[in-house]
Amino acid sequence: MDKHRAYHPAPSQTVHAPDGLETARPQAAGPQTARSQAKIIRQFELTERVLSYDPKADTSLIDAAYVMAMQAHGDQRRDNGDPYITHPVAVADILAGYRLDTGSIITALLHDTVEDTGVKLADIEARFGKPIAGLVDGVTKLTKLELKTGRDKQAENFRKLVLAMSQDIRVLLVKLADRLHNMRTLHFVTSTERRQRIARETMEIYAPLAERIGMDAVKTELQNLAFAQLEKEAFDTIQARLNFLRGQGADIIEEVRTELARLCHAAGVEAVDVSGREKSPFSIWEKMQRRNIAFEQLSDIMAFRVVVPTRADCYIALGAVHANYPVIPGRFKDYISTPKSNGYQSLHTGVTLPHPRNQKIEVQIRTADMQRVADNGVAAHWGYKQGVGSPADAQDFPWVRDLLEILDNSTTGEDFLENTKLELYQDKVFCFTPKGQLIQLPRGATPIDFAYAVHSQVGDTCVGAKVNGRLLPLRTELQNGDQVEIMTARGGSPSPAWERFAVTGKARARIRRYIALQQRQQHVDAGRAALAKAFRQDGVDGSEKVLEAALKTLKAASLDDLYVAVGNGNTGPKDVVHAAYPELRQAPRAPRMIPHMPSRAPSRPAGGSMAITGLLPSMVVNYAGCCHPLPGDPIVGIVTTGKGVTVHAKGCQTLESFAATPERFIDIGWEGDGLAGGVHTGRISVIAANEPSVLANLTNAISKHDGAVTNLKIVNRQQDFFEILIDVEVRDLRHLSTVIAGLRAANGITQVERARA
């Protein structure tokens, strides 16, 4: 039996915080409150459990923490009326199941006191010392990671989590135990929307974090509990199918266990343990979704684990299994010679049982130490023997360093959250540098991701890549075992186009940071030029000294911020002149009444025959060159002083720069079905073989489908291929799709897609 689980109360005996999260609002119990009658783990039971694996533990400190938590939470109760103290004690019990040190147990007991009671950090430091006060402070800062006030708050709180766990990984261990207990009792939350919000956060953040530190049992339980809330119908269906299979093949597991043990013995290896299990409901559902297959098509619903004495025995046992069962091609993975980033080691193989079973199973072979790491991950290395860890311990994990770098490079909280999720999710591929260094990347990663994984500076200056000795486009998807050589150039810089195919959060954060800095510099230059012109027209001094005096009036923090505001149109040049020289301001005019803008009043853009709804008649209309919107695209209008309305596609990344001025957005659309005549420009990105006839094939294919090339630019030319950006005159989105389909069929064309820049 799992010792960790043996000590946990059954779900029906536990309680849950009002929001299903870390904190609870004090609530008086009453007759109307449903009670679960949870049996609290008593003080001596907790200390005895810690002493069972750490006889030298200072139980007086644990007792003191228990008493402080009990007194602090006092009469506070959870949603169902149970004493709130049941929660921190249950969290401490979970950590004791992982044999964690005394400091972690005390932190678990006190983790809600500063947030929800009158206890101060100074009180904890005075009684338990600065290290434990630091742990409690780290956990306290991370409470209420809900989506209550938008994703920015969630992102900001997650920033705190990353910073705290980078100082001491035990903060993350306490957080995971806290979330695990809350998820086990999530059914007590009455609001469906709130349960799903909590489950979604668990699935997106906490389960991937548990996986990253190798706590597979915690990850699997969190995923299944969240899956049951987010996809209840799918969960129930898969659970019913598993129950049916369990009844149909009750004897299979024992037969296969006996046979695997016999095969190992015949090969000279005495297996320490052989066990069978079935995949978890979420794991089954995820594989069905990823491969778009039915439940019956899954080949590894049943898995068997063989634990052997030594590393060498693992390979002997593997040979015995392969010698007696047909191997499923492509299913063998050696995580012993190439461990996962979280330290996981094991041999995995897929085989088919002989007739009449003919059933596919997965076999995992590992040592007892590997098994311990597989179950407990970093907790297996952070036991009571290590005592209080040093701040550098968390830095031993490369993925923590990557998260910190993403934190440094992300310009907004939204970017940080998105890029972090990219870093936490996805299966891995293993690639190598020319010198043999192993680089682990998410599946689907490209040479750009590889370059940034090697070093941020290598990514920034990347100009090309060789994969297995062959020069290939930077958008090429890397495969397991690829050797990648990154070519760099002094003065090189990231291309905005890289963001479209970069997969890792680290790469995307760095690219976005460069783009943001580049755009800011462009706005600075444009704003400086506009202000110089405005001051010159009025014949007054526009020096930096004059501008600095007007910063407070204009609510700008610095000169560069003022230039940016003018450059992006948020502040008019004349407004700056008048702030610096109020006497030049004209007498106030009577406010001009702007007529109500009809939501569907048609008007025609200059130079085109396609009407756009949602504009006033005679408004000047321009099409954005960043996204090249076409009839059929969802669109939005941006009002720019002196330039009228600029039409953008709704997915255009440029729109992010206008997020602070929502009043400039106009809801517009194409008249009718948006697929009617007129001439518009669409942009296409093409990768073609470097052959003499390919350009002729390309232009002929466009002409054949009634398109006209208005501009063609070769953006990257190599020995084997070149990349081209082509502006094509088309009628609408459907016409552009036809042109792209024709190009894909042309000789020498390897890749075609619509370009957005």
Coordinates of all heavy atoms in Angstrom, one line a residue, residues 319-375:
G319 N 15.9 -7.4 -22.1 CA 16.2 -8.4 -23.1 C 15.4 -9.6 -23.0 O 14.9 -10.2 -24.0
A320 N 15.1 -10.0 -21.8 CA 14.2 -11.2 -21.5 C 12.8 -10.9 -22.0 O 12.1 -11.8 -22.6 CB 14.2 -11.5 -20.1
V321 N 12.3 -9.7 -21.8 CA 10.9 -9.3 -22.2 C 10.9 -9.3 -23.8 O 9.9 -9.9 -24.4 CB 10.5 -8.0 -21.6 CG1 9.2 -7.5 -22.3 CG2 10.4 -8.1 -20.1
H322 N 11.8 -8.7 -24.4 CA 11.9 -8.6 -25.9 C 12.0 -10.0 -26.5 O 11.6 -10.2 -27.6 CB 13.0 -7.6 -26.3 CG 12.6 -6.2 -26.2 ND1 13.4 -5.2 -26.6 CD2 11.5 -5.6 -25.6 CE1 12.8 -4.0 -26.3 NE2 11.6 -4.3 -25.7
A323 N 12.7 -10.9 -25.8 CA 13.0 -12.2 -26.4 C 11.7 -13.1 -26.4 O 11.6 -14.0 -27.1 CB 14.1 -12.9 -25.7
N324 N 10.7 -12.7 -25.5 CA 9.6 -13.6 -25.4 C 8.3 -13.0 -25.9 O 7.3 -13.7 -26.0 CB 9.4 -14.0 -23.9 CG 10.5 -15.0 -23.4 OD1 10.3 -16.2 -23.6 ND2 11.6 -14.4 -22.9
Y325 N 8.3 -11.6 -26.1 CA 7.0 -11.0 -26.6 C 7.3 -10.2 -27.8 O 8.4 -9.6 -27.9 CB 6.5 -10.0 -25.5 CG 6.0 -10.7 -24.2 CD1 6.6 -10.4 -23.0 CD2 5.0 -11.7 -24.3 CE1 6.1 -11.0 -21.8 CE2 4.5 -12.3 -23.1 CZ 5.1 -11.9 -21.9 OH 4.7 -12.5 -20.7
P326 N 6.4 -10.2 -28.8 CA 6.6 -9.3 -29.9 C 6.6 -7.8 -29.5 O 5.7 -7.4 -28.8 CB 5.3 -9.6 -30.8 CG 4.8 -10.9 -30.3 CD 5.2 -11.0 -28.9
V327 N 7.6 -7.1 -30.0 CA 7.8 -5.7 -29.6 C 6.9 -4.8 -30.5 O 6.9 -5.0 -31.7 CB 9.3 -5.3 -29.7 CG1 9.4 -3.8 -29.4 CG2 10.1 -6.1 -28.8
I328 N 6.3 -3.8 -29.9 CA 5.5 -2.8 -30.7 C 6.5 -1.8 -31.2 O 7.2 -1.1 -30.4 CB 4.4 -2.1 -29.9 CG1 3.5 -3.2 -29.3 CG2 3.7 -1.1 -30.7 CD1 2.5 -2.6 -28.3
P329 N 6.7 -1.6 -32.6 CA 7.7 -0.7 -33.1 C 7.4 0.8 -32.6 O 6.3 1.2 -32.5 CB 7.4 -0.7 -34.6 CG 6.8 -2.1 -34.8 CD 6.0 -2.3 -33.6
G330 N 8.6 1.4 -32.3 CA 8.5 2.8 -31.9 C 8.1 3.1 -30.4 O 7.9 4.2 -30.0
R331 N 7.9 2.0 -29.6 CA 7.4 2.2 -28.3 C 8.6 2.1 -27.2 O 8.3 2.2 -26.0 CB 6.3 1.2 -28.0 CG 5.1 1.3 -28.8 CD 4.5 2.7 -28.5 NE 4.3 2.9 -27.1 CZ 3.3 2.5 -26.4 NH1 2.3 1.8 -27.0 NH2 3.2 2.7 -25.1
F332 N 9.8 1.8 -27.7 CA 10.9 1.6 -26.7 C 11.5 3.0 -26.4 O 11.8 3.8 -27.3 CB 12.0 0.7 -27.2 CG 13.2 0.7 -26.4 CD1 13.1 0.2 -25.1 CD2 14.4 1.2 -26.8 CE1 14.3 0.1 -24.3 CE2 15.5 1.2 -26.1 CZ 15.5 0.6 -24.8
K333 N 11.7 3.3 -25.1 CA 12.3 4.5 -24.6 C 13.3 4.2 -23.5 O 12.9 3.5 -22.5 CB 11.2 5.5 -24.2 CG 10.3 6.0 -25.2 CD 9.2 6.9 -24.7 CE 8.2 7.3 -25.8 NZ 7.1 8.1 -25.2
D334 N 14.5 4.7 -23.6 CA 15.5 4.5 -22.6 C 15.7 5.8 -21.8 O 16.5 6.7 -22.2 CB 16.8 4.1 -23.3 CG 17.9 3.7 -22.3 OD1 17.7 4.0 -21.1 OD2 18.9 3.1 -22.6
Y335 N 15.0 5.9 -20.7 CA 15.2 7.1 -19.8 C 16.2 6.8 -18.7 O 16.4 7.7 -17.9 CB 13.9 7.4 -19.1 CG 12.8 7.9 -20.1 CD1 11.6 7.2 -20.2 CD2 13.0 9.1 -20.9 CE1 10.6 7.7 -21.1 CE2 12.0 9.5 -21.7 CZ 10.8 8.8 -21.8 OH 9.9 9.3 -22.7
I336 N 16.9 5.7 -18.8 CA 18.0 5.5 -17.9 C 19.3 6.1 -18.4 O 20.0 6.9 -17.7 CB 18.3 4.0 -17.7 CG1 17.0 3.4 -16.9 CG2 19.5 3.7 -16.8 CD1 17.2 1.9 -16.6
S337 N 19.6 5.9 -19.7 CA 20.8 6.5 -20.2 C 20.6 8.0 -20.5 O 21.5 8.8 -20.5 CB 21.2 5.8 -21.5 OG 20.2 5.9 -22.5
T338 N 19.3 8.3 -20.8 CA 18.9 9.7 -21.0 C 17.8 10.1 -20.1 O 16.6 10.0 -20.5 CB 18.5 10.0 -22.5 OG1 19.5 9.4 -23.4 CG2 18.3 11.4 -22.8
P339 N 18.0 10.5 -18.9 CA 16.9 10.7 -17.9 C 16.1 12.0 -18.4 O 16.6 12.8 -19.1 CB 17.7 11.0 -16.6 CG 19.0 10.5 -16.8 CD 19.3 10.6 -18.2
K340 N 14.9 12.0 -17.9 CA 14.1 13.2 -18.1 C 14.6 14.4 -17.3 O 15.4 14.2 -16.3 CB 12.6 13.0 -17.7 CG 11.9 12.0 -18.6 CD 10.4 11.9 -18.3 CE 9.6 11.0 -19.2 NZ 8.2 11.0 -18.9
S341 N 14.2 15.6 -17.6 CA 14.7 16.8 -16.9 C 14.4 16.8 -15.4 O 15.1 17.4 -14.6 CB 14.2 18.0 -17.5 OG 12.8 18.1 -17.5
N342 N 13.3 16.0 -15.0 CA 13.0 16.0 -13.6 C 13.7 14.8 -12.8 O 13.4 14.6 -11.7 CB 11.5 15.9 -13.4 CG 10.9 14.6 -14.1 OD1 11.6 13.7 -14.4 ND2 9.6 14.7 -14.3
G343 N 14.6 14.2 -13.5 CA 15.4 13.1 -12.8 C 14.8 11.7 -13.0 O 15.4 10.7 -12.6
Y344 N 13.7 11.6 -13.7 CA 13.0 10.3 -13.9 C 13.9 9.4 -14.8 O 14.4 9.8 -15.8 CB 11.7 10.5 -14.6 CG 10.9 9.2 -14.9 CD1 10.1 8.6 -14.0 CD2 11.1 8.6 -16.2 CE1 9.4 7.5 -14.3 CE2 10.4 7.5 -16.5 CZ 9.5 6.9 -15.5 OH 8.9 5.8 -15.8
Q345 N 14.0 8.1 -14.3 CA 14.8 7.1 -15.0 C 14.0 5.8 -15.1 O 13.4 5.4 -14.1 CB 16.1 6.8 -14.3 CG 17.1 8.0 -14.5 CD 18.5 7.6 -13.9 OE1 18.6 7.5 -12.7 NE2 19.5 7.4 -14.7
S346 N 14.0 5.2 -16.2 CA 13.3 3.9 -16.4 C 13.4 3.5 -17.8 O 13.7 4.3 -18.7 CB 11.8 4.1 -16.0 OG 11.1 2.8 -16.2
L347 N 13.2 2.2 -18.1 CA 13.1 1.7 -19.4 C 11.6 1.5 -19.7 O 10.9 0.9 -18.9 CB 13.8 0.3 -19.6 CG 15.4 0.4 -19.4 CD1 15.9 -1.1 -19.5 CD2 16.0 1.3 -20.4
H348 N 11.1 1.9 -20.9 CA 9.8 1.7 -21.3 C 9.7 1.0 -22.6 O 10.5 1.3 -23.5 CB 9.0 3.1 -21.5 CG 8.8 3.8 -20.3 ND1 7.9 4.9 -20.2 CD2 9.3 3.7 -19.0 CE1 7.9 5.4 -19.0 NE2 8.7 4.7 -18.2
T349 N 8.9 0.0 -22.7 CA 8.7 -0.8 -23.9 C 7.3 -1.2 -24.1 O 6.6 -1.4 -23.1 CB 9.7 -2.0 -24.0 OG1 9.6 -2.5 -25.3 CG2 9.3 -3.0 -23.0
G350 N 6.8 -1.3 -25.3 CA 5.5 -1.8 -25.6 C 5.6 -3.2 -26.3 O 6.3 -3.4 -27.2
V351 N 4.8 -4.2 -25.8 CA 4.8 -5.5 -26.3 C 3.4 -6.0 -26.5 O 2.5 -5.4 -25.9 CB 5.7 -6.5 -25.4 CG1 7.1 -6.1 -25.3 CG2 5.0 -6.6 -24.0
T352 N 3.2 -7.1 -27.2 CA 1.9 -7.7 -27.4 C 1.9 -9.1 -26.8 O 2.8 -9.9 -27.0 CB 1.6 -7.9 -28.9 OG1 1.7 -6.6 -29.6 CG2 0.2 -8.4 -29.1
L353 N 0.9 -9.3 -26.0 CA 0.7 -10.6 -25.3 C 0.4 -11.7 -26.4 O -0.3 -11.4 -27.4 CB -0.4 -10.6 -24.3 CG -0.2 -9.6 -23.1 CD1 -1.4 -9.6 -22.1 CD2 1.1 -10.0 -22.3
P354 N 0.9 -12.9 -26.2 CA 0.6 -14.0 -27.2 C -0.8 -14.4 -27.2 O -1.6 -14.0 -26.4 CB 1.5 -15.1 -26.7 CG 1.7 -14.9 -25.2 CD 1.7 -13.4 -25.0
H355 N -1.1 -15.1 -28.3 CA -2.5 -15.6 -28.5 C -2.9 -16.5 -27.3 O -2.0 -17.3 -26.8 CB -2.5 -16.4 -29.8 CG -3.9 -16.9 -30.2 ND1 -4.8 -16.2 -30.7 CD2 -4.4 -18.2 -30.0 CE1 -5.9 -16.9 -30.9 NE2 -5.7 -18.1 -30.5
P356 N -4.1 -16.5 -26.8 CA -5.2 -15.8 -27.4 C -5.5 -14.4 -26.9 O -6.4 -13.8 -27.2 CB -6.4 -16.8 -26.9 CG -5.9 -17.2 -25.6 CD -4.4 -17.4 -25.7
R357 N -4.6 -13.9 -26.0 CA -4.8 -12.6 -25.4 C -4.7 -11.5 -26.5 O -5.5 -10.7 -26.6 CB -3.8 -12.3 -24.3 CG -4.0 -13.2 -23.1 CD -5.2 -12.9 -22.3 NE -5.3 -13.5 -21.0 CZ -6.4 -13.5 -20.3 NH1 -7.5 -12.9 -20.7 NH2 -6.4 -14.2 -19.2
N358 N -3.5 -11.5 -27.2 CA -3.3 -10.6 -28.3 C -3.5 -9.1 -27.8 O -3.9 -8.3 -28.6 CB -4.2 -10.8 -29.5 CG -3.9 -12.2 -30.1 OD1 -2.7 -12.6 -30.1 ND2 -4.9 -12.8 -30.6
Q359 N -3.2 -8.9 -26.5 CA -3.4 -7.5 -26.0 C -2.1 -6.8 -25.9 O -1.1 -7.4 -25.5 CB -4.1 -7.6 -24.6 CG -4.5 -6.3 -24.0 CD -5.3 -6.5 -22.8 OE1 -5.9 -7.5 -22.5 NE2 -5.5 -5.4 -22.0
K360 N -2.1 -5.5 -26.2 CA -0.9 -4.7 -26.1 C -0.7 -4.1 -24.7 O -1.7 -3.6 -24.1 CB -0.9 -3.5 -27.1 CG -1.0 -4.0 -28.6 CD -1.1 -2.9 -29.5 CE -1.2 -3.3 -31.0 NZ -1.3 -2.2 -31.9
I361 N 0.5 -4.2 -24.2 CA 0.7 -3.7 -22.8 C 2.0 -2.9 -22.8 O 2.8 -3.0 -23.7 CB 0.8 -4.8 -21.8 CG1 2.0 -5.7 -22.1 CG2 -0.4 -5.6 -21.7 CD1 2.4 -6.7 -21.0
E362 N 2.2 -2.1 -21.8 CA 3.5 -1.4 -21.6 C 4.2 -2.0 -20.4 O 3.6 -2.3 -19.4 CB 3.2 0.1 -21.3 CG 4.5 0.9 -21.2 CD 4.2 2.4 -20.9 OE1 3.6 2.7 -19.8 OE2 4.6 3.2 -21.7
V363 N 5.5 -2.1 -20.5 CA 6.3 -2.6 -19.5 C 7.4 -1.6 -19.1 O 8.1 -1.1 -20.0 CB 7.0 -4.0 -19.9 CG1 7.9 -4.5 -18.7 CG2 6.0 -5.0 -20.3
Q364 N 7.4 -1.3 -17.8 CA 8.4 -0.3 -17.3 C 9.4 -1.0 -16.4 O 9.0 -1.8 -15.5 CB 7.7 0.8 -16.5 CG 6.7 1.6 -17.4 CD 5.9 2.6 -16.5 OE1 6.1 2.6 -15.3 NE2 5.1 3.4 -17.2
I365 N 10.7 -0.8 -16.6 CA 11.7 -1.6 -15.8 C 12.6 -0.6 -15.2 O 13.2 0.3 -15.9 CB 12.5 -2.5 -16.8 CG1 11.6 -3.5 -17.5 CG2 13.5 -3.3 -16.0 CD1 12.2 -4.3 -18.6
R366 N 12.8 -0.7 -13.9 CA 13.7 0.3 -13.2 C 14.2 -0.3 -11.9 O 13.7 -1.4 -11.5 CB 12.9 1.5 -12.9 CG 11.6 1.3 -12.0 CD 10.8 2.5 -11.8 NE 10.1 3.0 -13.1 CZ 8.9 3.5 -13.1 NH1 8.2 3.7 -12.0 NH2 8.4 3.9 -14.3
T367 N 15.1 0.4 -11.2 CA 15.6 -0.1 -9.9 C 14.7 0.5 -8.8 O 13.8 1.4 -9.0 CB 17.0 0.4 -9.6 OG1 17.1 1.8 -9.6 CG2 17.9 -0.1 -10.8
A368 N 14.9 0.1 -7.5 CA 14.1 0.6 -6.4 C 14.4 2.1 -6.2 O 13.4 2.9 -5.9 CB 14.5 -0.2 -5.1
D369 N 15.6 2.5 -6.4 CA 15.9 4.0 -6.3 C 15.2 4.8 -7.3 O 14.7 5.9 -7.1 CB 17.4 4.2 -6.3 CG 18.2 3.8 -5.0 OD1 17.5 3.7 -4.0 OD2 19.4 3.6 -5.1
M370 N 15.2 4.2 -8.6 CA 14.5 4.9 -9.7 C 13.0 5.0 -9.4 O 12.4 6.0 -9.7 CB 14.8 4.2 -11.0 CG 16.2 4.2 -11.5 SD 16.4 3.2 -13.0 CE 18.2 3.1 -13.1
Q371 N 12.5 3.9 -8.8 CA 11.1 3.9 -8.4 C 10.8 5.0 -7.4 O 9.7 5.7 -7.4 CB 10.7 2.5 -7.9 CG 9.3 2.4 -7.4 CD 8.3 2.7 -8.5 OE1 8.5 2.3 -9.6 NE2 7.1 3.3 -8.1
R372 N 11.7 5.1 -6.4 CA 11.4 6.1 -5.4 C 11.4 7.5 -6.0 O 10.6 8.4 -5.6 CB 12.6 6.0 -4.3 CG 12.4 6.9 -3.1 CD 13.4 6.5 -2.0 NE 14.8 6.5 -2.5 CZ 15.6 7.5 -2.5 NH1 15.1 8.7 -2.0 NH2 16.8 7.4 -3.0
V373 N 12.4 7.8 -6.9 CA 12.4 9.1 -7.6 C 11.2 9.3 -8.4 O 10.6 10.4 -8.5 CB 13.7 9.3 -8.4 CG1 13.7 10.5 -9.2 CG2 14.9 9.3 -7.4
A374 N 10.7 8.2 -9.1 CA 9.6 8.3 -10.0 C 8.3 8.7 -9.2 O 7.5 9.5 -9.7 CB 9.3 7.0 -10.7
D375 N 8.2 8.2 -8.0 CA 7.0 8.5 -7.2 C 7.1 9.8 -6.5 O 6.1 10.6 -6.4 CB 6.8 7.4 -6.1 CG 6.2 6.1 -6.7 OD1 5.6 6.2 -7.8 OD2 6.3 5.1 -6.1

